[in-house]
Amino acid sequence: MAAPLLEYETEMFLSLFGCDGLLVAAEGLGIDRLLLQFMRVHSEQDSLVLLLNTSTAEQEYLTEQLRLEGVSHLPRTVTSDVQSAERYRVYTEGGVLFVTSRILVVDFLTDRIPAHLISGILVYRAHKIIESCQEAFILRLYRQKNKTGFIKAFTDKATSFSSGFCQVERVMRNLFVKKLYLWPRFQASVNTALDKHKPEVVELHVSLTPAMRAIQSSILDIMGACLKELKRYNPTLEAEDLSLENTLGNAFEKTIRHYLDPLWHQLGAKTKALVQDLKVLRVLLLYLTQYDCVTFLNLLESLRSSQKNFGTNSGWLFLDSSTSMFVNARSRVFRFTDSKKKLKVGAEEEKQKSCSEVRRELVLEKSPKWDALTEVLQEIEKENKSTNGEPGRVLICASDDRTCAQLQQYIRHGAEWLLNRLYARTIAKTDSSAASAMELHTHKKSKGLTRKGTKGKEPAQKKSTKSKGRPSLTLTQMMGKEETEEAAVMGSSSGDEEDLTAEEEEEEMKLDLSSDAYYGVLKEPLTVIHPLKGCTDPHSLTRVLHEVGPTFVVLYDAELSFVRQLEIYKASRPGKTLRVYFLIYGGSTEEQKYLTALSKEKKAFEHLIREKATMVVPEEREGREDTNLDLARNLEPANATTNTRKAGGQDQAKEPSRVIVDMREFRSELPSLLHRRGMDIDPVTLEVGDYILTPDTCVERKSVSDLIGSLQSGRLYTQCVSMTRYYRKPVLLIEFDPAKPFSLTARSDFRHELSSNDISSKLTLLTLHFPRLRILWCPSPHATAELFMELKQGRPEPDAAAAQAVTAESDTVAESADLYNPGPYDLLLKMPGINSKNYRAIIKNADCLADVAKLSQAKLAEILGNTSNAKLLYEFLHNTADVPAPAPKSKQTFKSFKQAS
């Protein structure tokens, strides 16, 4: 059961409860607790509240929390599984509802949802509510039909408002709220509440080894050189955003994409290579501090070999810093020694021969954080022994699954076992001299060295096991989706690593935890390792924190939101002790990254505070009256002229224009823009086309990516066949992303010879094949909406029932019927020897299928221009198939052949 709200959380709740607004809190300050409080208040039959922008995992977490608190009227989820007839009943039963955006838009447009009964809407992740998104459309429809309900929005991404012109004001305009509530970490109420019961924090600044420091310096030098080159090739780029400090942050790739995406087709190969190099170097920096020496070297070696294999040598591989990086990376794993010294190790003659060839000696440098972790665990063990009460539980938090798995193996077996295992499974597999060095190292250990025990707690060797409900732990689980893709591009070594626990048979540790992402280490006292990122359930760490109730938390990796979560956890349990061990590499990019994240959030809040002070909010912003122009539809442009010859220029009553839209199209922003221009939207399920503008005009909308895919798969051909059969004016609309270039082909590609596989070639063939098909090119959805308005002027309105009734069995339009009858046409195309290239020749030389059956094989060869195709068709029509029929058949169309059943 969730702890009661803290003082500042109560203040946040009351301020937002009293007046609609947008609440921006610092990351980790618990807006999910605040949202839960609002849901608790409205979970009753008398109110109907819609919750937007939540994922399935978040919906399950929020529902589970309310169930634990004994709420009887729990939230329900409305998805496509709920039939349209049942949805009205669900809406009228009240309570909090999770509804998918597409369904909510359709229900508002068809009046299936009783808008006047809605008490209000709660918006999660409000920073994503831009004008073109579905949620903004929902809020506009809601405010047009309901003037009294509330709108309350929450977000903890202050940095999202720091870029762009008046970004927070635009979001508030889309949300129809006037108030902005800011709750940074340095706010007085937050400081007072959290400083009353601070957790005991032990900061351990771990020093990088000399080799790690040298590698880090080399990578930063190379990144600096790449950035310098990037700015030289692209002088228009903002120098501030492309600083070395910003390159370390998570948002760097988003920033670089923001600048370069619109120009990507105009950029040279050198610029594109530099952007890719920066991605690679960022992953190298991460691997250096996150993983062990063997994993880092393996990645580095595989990167260099992949560059050689594909012949795409990047410039940075030839820099002096790159050579230094390779040398230092190898020195962490092995060193070269004289062969004479190695001869002294082996006594046998055979061993001497093998040793004389080996010039490597394994070093296998331990990660400095491992020793620090060992000291921390030993200190915790001593403290637990000295206390008389129940021993304190331990929660170790690392960045991702891969790190967690390594830490579990380290605590259980020790550093030497782990590194030897990794070395044997990666580098020793691909290099014969490395394998020999491994043999020598094993021989040394067996001769004179006893295997060292576990570096941490002694009982951990026996009791640590795989966690409940998850597959055997591997080291191949990557940092997260984005980094995984980058590593895959570089030829990462992780694919070669195998499961570390697959061969071990141990008793399973049954821990009664709701999360399945943890790694069990010890039962008494309970010790659990859990990843900070990469979990399918975003609240899994929160669940474990409250279920384990740790006395000691070891932060192996720094993560801003979880640090604040620990502060709230301690403040809500003032009587219980909590000690947090903070492990961080002093003077490293890891530390700099954490400090940069703190600094960026602080600057973002300072920017919001200044913007709030100067913000001008119109009185009608909330849309509770009819004066808000954002709710007006069919707005005339400012330069529109008035015809004074008609009733002296008086406003003429206009019938609302109507567009029939396929249900699947509500994932795009075009229906929202059409509605804003005053058109009525009829959402129905269409078999042919996406938009029906008039009884004769059918539009198939394609984004550029969808166009390429459907041209390659042949789906577009089938769609064009259907449109030309049943509509007089079939239209193919190609809609571009406004942030991308308005061009299918880059200018640099024009000098190359066009092939039949080019998009432009396929579109040309499509227009030749369907002469009545019209192609519209639109640079953005706004341009499409304007074009639709012009296409509908002076034309009759479409009928939704008629459009929905158009199927494969419908009658064809006169234009198509004059050319061919679709039934025999389809049958002809399915005959052997007939294809899309030669069927027209047959149609020109035969009026019906009976005429085709009368043609000789020689005549067919002359028409088709291919003797093998003519033979296939002639034999199909004239050969007798001896297939016993189960029942007497009716008379065949062609007397000369019997159709196989």
Side-chain angles (χ1 to χ4, degrees):
M1 190 170 175
L5 295 181
L6 300 172
E7 293 95 323
Y8 78 88
E9 289 176 321
T10 306
E11 194 178 332
M12 287 164 75
F13 173 76
L14 291 174
S15 58
L16 191 57
F17 187 78
C19 187
D20 291 2
L22 166 63
L23 185 139
V24 184
E27 201 170 347
L29 277 194
I31 59 165
D32 52 340
R33 285 161 57 89
L34 199 63
L35 180 62
L36 204 59
Q37 183 67 21
F38 273 100
M39 291 175 68
R40 192 181 295 117
V41 168
H42 294 289
S43 289
E44 52 187 28
Q45 292 185 353
D46 295 339
S47 64
L48 172 60
V49 174
L50 306 176
L51 181 51
L52 305 182
N53 246 5
T54 52
S55 65
T56 307
E58 286 163 345
Q59 291 168 13
E60 289 172 0
Y61 171 76
L62 294 168
T63 307
E64 182 189 334
Q65 292 299 312
L66 291 174
R67 186 184 293 111
L68 291 173
E69 292 179 19
V71 174
S72 57
H73 201 75
L74 291 172
R76 282 162 300 164
T77 306
V78 179
T79 61
S80 54
D81 298 334
V82 182
Q83 297 298 321
S84 55
E86 293 177 27
R87 291 208 290 269
Y88 183 82
R89 181 182 57 78
V90 174
Y91 292 138
T92 52
E93 285 176 1
V96 178
L97 294 180
F98 305 109
V99 192
T100 57
S101 300
R102 188 171 65 89
I103 286 177
L104 208 47
V105 167
V106 171
D107 285 353
F108 266 117
L109 289 171
T110 55
D111 290 324
R112 193 172 290 125
I113 184 169
H116 63 285
L117 295 179
I118 300 175
S119 306
I121 295 182
L122 301 172
V123 186
Y124 199 50
R125 292 197 191 89
H127 60 279
K128 293 187 174 181
I129 308 298
I130 56 174
E131 185 183 3
S132 58
C133 74
Q134 288 294 327
E135 286 73 23
F137 188 20
I138 290 166
L139 291 168
R140 193 165 78 245
L141 290 169
Y142 164 68
R143 196 44 97 199
Q144 282 171 353
K145 300 182 177 189
N146 185 321
K147 303 291 184 184
T148 56
F150 63 79
I151 297 174
K152 303 185 190 301
F154 314 81
T155 183
D156 59 356
K157 302 289 181 192
T159 49
S160 300
F161 299 109
S162 56
S163 60
F165 178 70
C166 294
Q167 183 68 16
V168 70
E169 196 170 346
R170 287 156 69 187
V171 169
M172 289 172 67
R173 181 178 175 180
N174 295 329
L175 289 167
F176 297 99
V177 295
K178 288 194 297 185
K179 296 277 187 180
L180 175 62
Y181 302 100
L182 300 176
W183 288 87
R185 174 63 182 83
F186 54 80
Q187 210 264 2
S189 305
V190 180
N191 260 338
T192 307
L194 296 182
D195 287 351
K196 269 185 194 175
H197 307 285
K198 281 185 177 179
E200 182 189 346
V201 180
V202 180
E203 285 191 25
L204 297 175
H205 289 267
V206 184
S207 298
L208 293 168
T209 63
M212 288 175 75
R213 198 171 292 282
I215 292 169
Q216 178 180 278
S217 177
S218 299
I219 296 175
L220 290 174
D221 286 347
I222 297 167
M223 288 178 84
C226 287
L227 284 171
K228 193 175 178 182
E229 284 288 290
L230 194 62
K231 289 173 189 173
R232 188 165 70 84
Y233 281 103
N234 304 277
T236 55
L237 293 178
E238 290 287 338
E240 184 185 348
D241 288 328
L242 293 183
S243 65
L244 195 58
E245 181 184 348
N246 285 336
T247 312
L248 305 176
N250 293 328
F252 173 71
E253 281 170 32
K254 188 178 176 184
T255 306
I256 200 95
R257 206 181 298 125
H258 171 74
Y259 283 123
L260 296 180
D261 258 2
L263 320 164
W264 193 255
H265 67 302
Q266 298 174 359
L267 299 177
K270 185 72 176 174
T271 303
K272 293 178 180 178
L274 285 168
V275 172
Q276 183 60 30
D277 288 346
L278 283 169
K279 284 185 180 180
V280 170
L281 292 163
R282 275 164 49 85
V283 175
L284 281 175
L285 264 182
L286 180 75
Y287 268 56
L288 177 65
T289 54
Q290 195 69 45
Y291 304 120
D292 57 274
C293 59
V294 178
T295 305
F296 180 77
L297 177 63
N298 199 24
L299 172 63
L300 209 54
E301 295 287 3
S302 63
L303 172 62
R304 191 176 67 165
S305 65
S306 67
Q307 295 284 344
K308 282 182 181 176
N309 292 340
F310 295 107
T312 55
N313 287 312
S314 303
W316 65 269
L317 282 172
F318 303 108
L319 295 175
D320 292 339
S321 298
S322 175
T323 309
S324 167
M325 176 173 64
F326 274 92
V327 169
N328 284 301
R330 286 172 185 148
S331 71
R332 296 177 66 205
V333 180
F334 54 78
R335 63 169 175 263
F336 293 100
T337 56
D338 295 334
S339 55
K340 291 179 182 178
K341 291 181 182 177
K342 290 189 175 178
L343 286 171
K344 298 175 185 177
V345 177
E348 299 89 356
E349 187 176 346
E350 290 180 9
K351 202 63 180 174
Q352 287 181 355
K353 286 179 183 176
S354 65
C355 287
S356 63
E357 297 168 4
V358 177
R359 301 191 64 246
R360 286 185 184 179
E361 185 179 328
L362 292 186
V363 177
L364 299 179
E365 178 184 274
K366 285 193 296 183
S367 173
K369 270 192 184 179
W370 290 356
D371 285 334
L373 179 63
T374 300
E375 290 173 18
V376 167
L377 294 177
Q378 286 172 347
E379 182 182 320
I380 291 170
E381 193 172 9
K382 283 179 186 173
E383 186 150 335
N384 276 336
K385 285 178 181 176
S386 63
T387 55
N388 296 325
E390 186 183 347
R393 295 177 171 187
V394 184
L395 175 63
I396 303 170
C397 294
S399 178
D400 52 43
D401 266 338
R402 194 177 189 182
T403 313
C404 290
Q406 281 199 353
L407 290 181
Q408 190 199 39
Q409 297 300 321
Y410 167 71
I411 292 171
R412 189 217 266 136
H413 294 289
E416 191 174 359
W417 180 92
L418 175 58
L419 292 173
N420 277 321
R421 180 112 172 192
L422 280 170
Y423 186 81
R425 288 175 178 272
T426 54
I427 298 171
K429 269 189 176 181
T430 55
D431 194 338
S432 58
S433 58
S436 304
M438 186 71 196
E439 284 178 21
L440 177 63
H441 189 69
T442 311
H443 178 69
K444 274 185 177 181
K445 285 201 302 177
S446 62
K447 279 284 183 183
L449 299 175
T450 56
R451 187 180 182 279
K452 292 185 181 180
T454 304
K455 295 290 179 184
K457 300 170 283 184
E458 291 299 324
Q461 292 185 21
K462 296 176 185 176
K463 298 221 177 181
S464 76
T465 68
K466 295 178 284 186
S467 63
K468 176 197 76 166
R470 61 182 297 119
S472 53
L473 305 176
T474 69
L475 292 184
T476 56
Q477 291 160 313
M478 298 297 289
M479 304 159 283
K481 186 175 178 185
E482 192 173 332
E483 287 85 353
T484 308
E485 288 167 358
E486 292 169 7
V489 169
M490 299 183 300
S492 168
S493 64
S494 63
D496 298 328
E497 296 179 14
E498 295 179 20
D499 188 271
L500 290 183
T501 60
E503 298 170 10
E504 308 262 337
E505 289 185 4
E506 300 182 19
E507 59 167 328
E508 292 244 342
M509 183 192 291
K510 301 291 185 185
L511 299 181
D512 189 20
L513 298 181
S514 57
S515 168
D516 62 351
Y518 68 87
Y519 292 73
V521 174
L522 194 64
K523 272 191 175 178
E524 288 298 333
L526 182 62
T527 305
V528 171
I529 307 176
H530 199 287
L532 290 163
K533 301 174 195 165
C535 301
T536 51
D537 178 8
H539 294 282
S540 64
L541 187 55
T542 310
R543 294 174 196 265
V544 169
L545 182 64
H546 287 86
E547 288 170 19
V548 173
T551 308
F552 306 99
V553 176
V554 183
L555 286 176
Y556 187 83
D557 293 305
E559 216 262 322
L560 184 61
S561 61
F562 186 62
V563 170
R564 299 216 174 114
Q565 203 173 328
L566 287 172
E567 286 186 295
I568 294 172
Y569 174 76
K570 176 67 178 79
S572 57
R573 290 164 179 75
K576 295 185 178 180
T577 57
L578 176 66
R579 185 185 299 169
V580 180
Y581 291 93
F582 205 101
L583 306 185
I584 198 160
Y585 284 117
S588 70
T589 52
E590 181 192 28
E591 183 182 36
Q592 185 59 48
K593 192 174 173 180
Y594 180 75
L595 295 174
T596 303
L598 273 173
S599 169
K600 278 196 170 182
E601 189 187 70
K602 184 171 179 286
K603 286 177 183 173
F605 268 111
E606 288 170 351
H607 169 73
L608 284 173
I609 290 166
R610 287 194 299 272
E611 198 164 338
K612 183 180 178 181
T614 57
M615 193 186 296
V616 178
V617 181
E619 190 62 35
E620 66 275 5
R621 165 64 56 80
E622 291 189 350
R624 296 183 187 276
E625 306 295 333
D626 293 329
T627 52
N628 189 336
L629 293 179
D630 289 326
L631 296 176
R633 297 177 62 196
N634 200 17
L635 292 176
E636 292 287 342
N639 59 354
T641 56
T642 304
N643 188 352
T644 56
R645 298 183 68 182
K646 291 186 179 180
Q650 294 177 20
D651 288 340
Q652 302 292 312
K654 294 180 181 177
E655 282 192 18
S657 188
R658 186 166 67 253
V659 177
I660 297 163
V661 183
D662 184 39
M663 297 280 273
R664 292 173 287 266
E665 276 297 301
F666 283 95
R667 296 186 181 94
S668 70
E669 60 181 294
L670 184 55
S672 167
L673 297 174
L674 293 173
H675 184 268
R676 190 157 195 174
R677 284 180 173 268
M679 294 189 191
D680 287 344
I681 307 294
D682 278 357
V684 297
T685 303
L686 298 175
E687 279 196 28
V688 179
D690 292 329
Y691 297 85
I692 309 297
L693 303 184
T694 69
D696 295 335
T697 310
C698 172
V699 180
E700 180 69 37
R701 188 188 71 88
K702 296 286 181 190
S703 63
V704 175
S705 58
D706 191 19
L707 174 73
I708 294 167
S710 55
L711 275 172
Q712 288 174 347
S713 67
R715 192 173 78 251
L716 184 58
Y717 175 84
T718 311
Q719 290 169 333
C720 289
V721 167
S722 300
M723 285 197 297
T724 50
R725 278 187 185 179
Y726 306 120
Y727 290 95
R728 288 187 174 83
K729 296 174 184 175
V731 177
L732 173 63
L733 168 71
I734 301 172
E735 192 176 84
F736 287 76
D737 186 342
K740 301 283 179 70
F742 185 42
S743 165
L744 268 183
T745 312
R747 293 175 189 173
S748 57
D749 293 340
F750 285 134
R751 60 177 177 272
H752 302 303
E753 189 175 340
L754 290 176
S755 70
S756 59
N757 289 325
D758 288 330
I759 299 302
S760 50
S761 302
K762 289 183 178 180
L763 277 176
T764 307
L765 288 172
L766 196 72
T767 51
L768 289 171
H769 202 83
F770 301 100
R772 287 192 293 114
L773 181 69
R774 297 291 176 258
I775 299 181
L776 302 180
W777 303 83
C778 291
S780 70
H782 289 271
T784 305
E786 190 174 344
L787 195 59
F788 278 12
M789 292 283 289
E790 293 173 5
L791 288 172
K792 284 183 64 62
Q793 280 182 2
R795 290 179 174 83
E797 297 299 329
D799 180 25
Q804 199 170 5
V806 173
T807 60
E809 288 75 32
S810 302
D811 295 332
T812 56
V813 294
E815 285 82 349
S816 297
D818 292 343
L819 295 174
Y820 54 79
N821 190 359
Y825 166 85
D826 288 341
L827 177 61
L828 180 67
L829 273 173
K830 288 179 170 56
M831 288 183 180
I834 302 294
N835 54 45
S836 58
K837 294 179 181 177
N838 60 22
Y839 79 97
R840 287 182 182 275
I842 288 285
I843 291 174
K844 287 177 183 175
N845 288 276
D847 292 333
C848 61
L849 288 174
D851 291 346
V852 177
K854 293 173 185 175
L855 295 172
S856 66
Q857 187 173 340
K859 184 65 176 173
L860 284 173
E862 181 187 336
I863 294 170
L864 296 174
N866 187 303
T867 53
S868 60
N869 283 342
K871 184 181 178 184
L872 283 170
L873 180 59
Y874 187 82
E875 288 179 354
F876 171 74
L877 291 173
H878 295 278
N879 286 2
T880 302
D882 296 326
V883 179
K889 294 273 184 177
S890 59
K891 193 175 180 181
Q892 300 293 324
T893 308
F894 301 139
K895 296 178 180 178
S896 53
F897 84 99
K898 294 178 182 177
Q899 186 177 7
S901 59

